[in-house]
Each structure stands twice: as structure tokens, then as C-alpha cells.
Amino acid sequence: MSTLLAPLRPYAGRAVVVGVSGGADSVALLRALVQVRARPVVVHLDHALRPGSAEDAAWVQAFAAQLRVGHMGTRVDVAAVAARRGWNMEDAARRIRYEVLGRGARQHGAEAVLTAHTRRDQAETVLMELLRGEAALTGIPSVRGRVRRPWLDVSRSEIEGYLEALGQDWREDPTNADVTYTRAWLRAEVMPVLAARFPGIEAALARVAKLSQQDNQALNDLAAALTPHGPREQLPLAVLRRRVAQELRAASLPFHAGHIDQLAQAHRSGETRHVTLPGGQDITVTGGALHLGGHLFASPAFSWPDGWTLRKRQAGDRIRLPGGTRKLSDLLTDLKVPRQQRDQVPLLVSGQGVEWIGLEPNIWAVGAREAAGQKADPVDTAMGEALMLAHEAALAQEVPVGAVVLDPAGRVVGRGCNTSRVDGDMTRHAELAALRAAAAELGTPYLSGCTLVVTLEPCPMCLGAALEARVGRIVYGARNPRAGALGGVSDLLTSNWGHVPTVTGGVRAKEAARLLRASFQELRRRKSESADL
Ligand SMILES: Nc1ncnc2c1ncn2[C@@H]1O[C@H](COP(=O)(O)OP(=O)(O)OP(=O)(O)O)[C@@H](O)[C@H]1O
């Protein structure tokens, strides 16, 4: 008996709505709630699905009156609603039931809605999830919104014993014996066979649900904490699948398990994959990120010079880039723009060829930005300066890393390069030098609204310094697989540090990586020369 009453004691003195079907479990729950001196209000839904349902409704009303507790009865033609909305019958009954229970709670000022789901219901639900091949065997949750299920650990025999001791009767729902319903079939025909060999089957399945709920929660939390900039290729599929599902849910897009598998796999392999969701929405995974249709493209937010036209691509389009003129089709392939979407990319084109490509971030032909009267992107210019600083470090036989700090107006307020070798101090990193210089220039160590631009993904020390300084944005060039703290080795921003800068990686990454490669080659050459001496 204490297993029945103990989970209900927290409701003593409180108004709660309790869903009572008239079956043994919910009848016992109502009696037990009265016993612990809660203030229950009975809500009953007559689903109008079988001839005797009105009698059950009347029975529940009389039962509530007998116990002198509040009662709200509602009759809904569930079959008609299901037909109208295209829901299956069980789904419709469940949705309408919780809607009615929620309404009851609002009307009676109850903070909780209690249902009498038991360990038997839990075990059957886990079995159904297993048979359907669900991703997680989490069963029925004990809490969802304001709904509470305090008896998920309680067995049927405890409930029957309790009702017997009270001399309390209940109603039997004949559909519970109709084995055309999967749950009734599991209860009547499958569970007895399993229990004959495994007497503890019900408790075992309930335990699976409890552990699985904990695992699922942990994996969902990990997925939710992923930062949008972090690399995804090395993440476990279990986390990726959940992240993809979260992103689709946040965008209110319907999906099936198969879509999640495909999209998660594509994140991992880095391949480009297109999927059409049940609602007809096309989505794409490319470069390890999920793009919900149309997301990839930008319209020109400036007035363009006379002689330029806005259009989509045509055969033979070319663009002048710093490395030489390239075919547009080759460039779009390199940029991993999905083939089906290439005809939608907005272009500004002049007699000289393509001048501007409406991808995020925008791509400009050489000289086009100036011709359109657009200021150079301060971040791009700052990265150019950081690359120069890195080059100077390389000449001084340091690891070639350069950093620049921009104030909120885009003005350079701090510069630095690596000086660890000459200073004999491994903490002399470019970022620290640039942050110090910026603090001195601005007269404050707090660099909120400033941007740290650095040629190499910061190490944990430098990321820590940027967080301490409250830097608003970090832009880096090459990824740092040996010491990167933004995903190269580990993404430290997945933890909560109180302050979260926005992060953009991969800006002029090829140039930064080239510098690093050249300097390490030079270092190796010098080492082998000195070994030869
Ligand atoms: N018609 C209904 N009106 C109000 N609440 C209901 C109704 N049917 C079910 N519930 C609530 O949902 C819970 C789970 O529903 P389920 O269909 O498993 O129960 P049941 O077998 O009909 O009855 P019981 O659980 O009371 O023996 C019930 O314990 C009860 O709290």
C-alpha cells in the first residue's frame, strides 16, 4: 500500500485533475488521492466509440459524486474527428483525451494532470517500441508538461489488492479484451507467454524504459549543446541523429526515422545529400551543415552599377578570382552547392563575366566590390593583415600565426604574432599579444563587441583569454587539429562559460594553412641540415 500512496503524498492539499476512465487503475488512483487528502477533480472523456461508453461516463460521474469530488465529463465523437483530420483512431483518442484533460486543469486551476498508467502499461509500451524498431525504448514518460504519471512503478496486483481491501468495484472496458488492438493482444497473448519463462518481465521492461530515458536525455542534451560552427564528422551518430531531429523540429518540419538516418550519415561523411521531407520541403546537408531550402542564397543588398544584370547562371559563365579566371560551374562544385540548387543561385553579371555570387558569404570577382562602391569587408581585410603578421613570424622562425583585434566599428585596435621562440615562453601566442594591445588601446580589458581575427583556430589558452576579455566574435582561418579549442581537438564552447562569442571558421583558410605548411617544411629542412653537420 505504501508503494501506492507514497508517490501521491506530494499532492496533499493541492488541486489536481485526474483522468478517470472507470477502469481499475484510474479508480484506484482517485481513491488513493482522496486518501492522501489531495483535492482531485475527475475528468472523463466519453470517446463515443462503443455502445456502452455513455454508461461508463454516468458511472464515473456517480463515483465522483459519491466521493464528493469535482467532476467534468465531455463527450466527443472521436471517430468523426479522426476521419476529418486524417488521424488514426488510437492517435485521435489520445490527442483529444489530453486536450480535454488540459482544459479541465485550466478551468479548475490545477497545476497537475494525473493519469493512472502503471508498470504494466509501461512494459507493454516498451515492447511495442521494440517491435516497431523505435530508436529509443523510452516507454511512457513520468512527466510531460503538466501531466504526471505517479504509478509507473506500481504493479496491477497491488492495485487490485488495494481496491479489494476497499470493496471498490470498477468498470471493465470490453475493447481491452479485443486482440485486434496491438496493446490488448500483447496483454492477453504475448505477455503471459513471456512471463512464463521470465517471471520478472514486467519489471525488466520498465527498467529498460527508465535507463533508456536517462541515456536518451543525456544524448539529447549533448546534441542540443553542439555549437553551429563545430565540426560534425567525428561526432557519434547517436548524437548527430538527435541534433538533426532537433533542428527539423525547431523548424516545424515533419520527418520519418529514415530521413534522420540519411541526414546524420551525410553529416558524418561530409558528402552532400538532398532529402525531400513528407511535407514536400527539400533540405540539404552540405559541408557538415543542414540547410533548410533556400537558406543558402542571398539577394544583393546594394544597388549595383549600370551594365550589371541580376540573373541565374548560363552555360559558359566565368568569374575572375585572385587565383585566375574560373568556370562558374567548377567553382559551385568546389563550394559544394547541391547540383539541383545551382540554377537558383543569384548572380550579378557584367560584360566582364560574373561579378558577384549570392551565396552566404557572398563571393566577389576581383575589383567588383570597388566597382559596386562596397566597402571591403573589414573582417577579410583584418585577416589579410593577420596573414601578413603570420608571415613576419615565419621569417623570424616562429610558428606562423598572426592575430588582429577589431573594435565594434571595424577599426584595428590590436595586432600580434607568435613570439614564443624569441621570448623563450610558450604562452607568447599571437592572440594574447593582440588582445593585450587592444586592451591598452581601448583603456579597458573588456573587449565586448570586438572581433578577434586570427589565422589559426585558437588553442584552449587563447580561447580562455578571449572569453575572459568578453570578445564578441572570433574569426579564424585554418583549423588546428593539434590544439584547436573550437572543434579541432575539442569544442570548448559546448560548455557553458557564461559568455558565448559567435565564431566563424575557415576564413582565408587555404592561405593560412599554406603558410603553416611552408614554415613546418622549412623547420624540418633546417633540422635535417643541422643533423647532417
Ligand atoms: N476516457 C477517459 N477519460 C479520462 N481519462 C482517461 C480515459 N481513458 C484513459 N484515461 C486516463 O489515461 C490512463 C491510461 O489510459 P488506458 O487506456 O491505459 O487506461 P484504461 O485501461 O482505459 O483504464 P485504467 O488505466 O483506468 O484502468 C488512465 O489510467 C486514465 O488516467
Side-chain angles (χ1 to χ4, degrees):
M1 173 125 119
S2 66
T3 44
L4 293 185
L5 299 188
L8 305 182
R9 301 229 184 263
Y11 300 105
R14 288 166 58 190
V16 290
V17 153
V18 52
V20 179
S21 64
D25 304 333
S26 52
V27 164
L29 180 60
L30 180 58
R31 293 285 316 238
L33 282 166
V34 170
Q35 195 175 338
V36 298
R37 298 187 189 288
R39 292 189 290 119
V41 174
V42 169
V43 172
H44 176 84
L45 170 68
D46 178 354
H47 300 88
L49 286 172
R50 56 185 168 82
S53 71
E55 283 151 42
D56 287 350
W59 186 92
V60 170
Q61 184 170 8
F63 176 46
Q66 189 193 331
L67 293 177
R68 296 205 169 89
V69 298
H71 171 269
M72 184 184 114
T74 308
R75 183 179 166 89
V76 176
D77 186 347
V78 170
V81 177
R84 229 181 11 251
R85 303 268 184 101
W87 294 339
N88 79 42
M89 200 71 80
E90 284 173 20
D91 196 25
R94 193 176 327 105
R95 288 185 192 218
I96 296 167
R97 196 155 64 230
Y98 284 104
E99 158 65 30
V100 168
L101 287 166
R103 205 185 315 144
R106 284 193 296 279
Q107 279 177 14
H108 291 89
E111 351 157 14
V113 168
L114 304 189
T115 64
H117 289 93
T118 63
R119 197 175 73 181
R120 182 171 74 173
D121 300 311
Q122 183 67 301
E124 290 161 359
T125 304
V126 171
L127 213 46
M128 280 200 277
E129 288 172 339
L130 177 67
L131 297 173
R132 283 198 299 254
E134 301 264 341
L137 306 181
T138 46
I140 307 168
S142 57
V143 176
R144 178 175 285 159
R146 68 170 97 190
V147 177
R148 306 277 183 279
R149 288 147 182 144
W151 277 1
L152 283 176
D153 285 328
V154 169
S155 72
R156 175 75 179 191
S157 59
E158 285 171 288
I159 287 171
E160 283 180 7
Y162 176 63
L163 290 174
E164 225 163 84
L166 292 173
Q168 174 67 55
D169 61 344
W170 66 87
R171 304 282 288 180
E172 283 299 347
D173 176 351
T175 52
N176 283 348
D178 180 353
V179 293
T180 51
Y181 292 102
T182 304
R183 186 177 287 278
W185 169 72
L186 285 174
R187 183 172 299 179
E189 298 188 359
V190 178
M191 285 298 278
V193 175
L194 296 175
R197 179 66 76 106
F198 294 95
I201 181 85
E202 204 179 277
L205 291 172
R207 180 180 139 81
V208 167
K210 194 168 274 179
L211 296 178
S212 197
Q213 280 170 15
Q214 290 168 5
D215 294 354
N216 199 40
Q217 184 64 50
L219 290 167
N220 276 333
D221 289 350
L222 283 176
L226 291 180
T227 46
H229 58 272
R232 298 194 170 177
E233 311 89 55
Q234 282 156 23
L235 291 172
L237 270 175
V239 175
L240 277 174
R241 273 206 322 271
R242 285 166 170 85
R243 176 66 184 200
V244 169
Q246 287 167 357
E247 288 178 357
L248 295 183
R249 258 186 233 117
S252 304
L253 294 173
F255 56 85
H256 298 315
H259 300 120
I260 300 297
D261 289 343
Q262 288 176 34
L263 294 169
Q265 289 281 5
H267 272 91
R268 220 155 178 238
S269 61
E271 67 186 306
T272 297
R273 175 76 70 93
H274 315 287
V275 170
T276 304
L277 297 178
Q281 170 100 15
D282 289 323
I283 54 171
T284 299
V285 171
T286 187
L290 193 68
H291 299 281
L292 311 172
H295 197 70
L296 279 170
F297 310 130
S299 306
F302 52 89
S303 53
W304 52 89
D306 290 342
W308 288 22
T309 41
L310 180 65
R311 66 161 169 78
K312 302 292 155 60
R313 71 175 178 150
Q314 290 173 2
D317 275 340
R318 288 168 181 274
I319 180 166
R320 305 174 315 280
L321 292 175
T325 298
R326 296 202 63 196
K327 281 210 274 190
L328 182 69
S329 53
D330 291 348
L331 181 65
L332 295 181
T333 306
D334 285 358
L335 293 169
K336 299 200 173 92
V337 178
R339 199 173 291 279
Q340 293 93 318
Q341 294 184 8
R342 290 185 194 165
D343 289 331
Q344 298 156 31
V345 179
L347 304 173
L348 282 171
V349 186
S350 75
Q352 317 267 323
V354 176
E355 301 286 355
W356 174 91
I357 305 179
L359 292 170
E360 283 295 0
N362 300 169
I363 294 174
W364 293 83
V366 172
R369 203 190 277 273
E370 295 75 13
Q374 292 299 298
K375 271 207 285 205
D377 176 5
V379 167
D380 194 74
T381 312
M383 186 60 88
E385 192 163 336
L387 285 163
M388 293 282 292
L389 289 161
H391 189 66
E392 281 169 25
L395 293 178
Q397 294 168 25
E398 299 282 355
V399 173
V401 181
V404 161
V405 174
L406 299 176
D407 73 2
R411 219 165 38 95
V412 175
V413 288
R415 297 174 176 82
C417 67
N418 207 349
T419 56
S420 294
R421 194 192 68 89
V422 67
D423 288 332
D425 175 354
M426 292 315 292
T427 69
R428 295 292 179 157
H429 284 193
E431 296 94 317
L432 297 191
L435 291 171
R436 266 191 216 109
E441 169 76 19
L442 298 175
T444 167
Y446 295 111
L447 306 178
S448 331
C450 290
T451 302
L452 171 66
V453 180
V454 54
T455 55
L456 182 66
E457 179 191 347
C459 71
M461 173 181 74
C462 293
L463 177 64
L467 291 176
E468 290 290 338
R470 304 264 181 278
V471 163
R473 184 179 177 202
I474 300 174
V475 176
Y476 69 86
R479 171 145 296 172
N480 183 352
R482 293 199 192 140
L486 290 170
V489 171
S490 169
D491 185 354
L492 297 185
L493 291 188
T494 53
S495 304
N496 182 9
W497 302 101
H499 166 73
V500 185
T502 55
V503 176
T504 313
V507 174
R508 301 182 68 170
K510 279 192 185 144
E511 293 165 72
R514 211 177 299 132
L515 253 176
L516 283 159
R517 259 197 317 273
S519 108
F520 285 123
Q521 268 164 10
E522 174 64 16
L523 195 71
R524 273 196 296 275
R525 191 187 59 76
R526 253 184 274 121
K527 265 198 187 145
S528 70
E529 265 181 17
S530 58
D532 287 347
L533 290 176

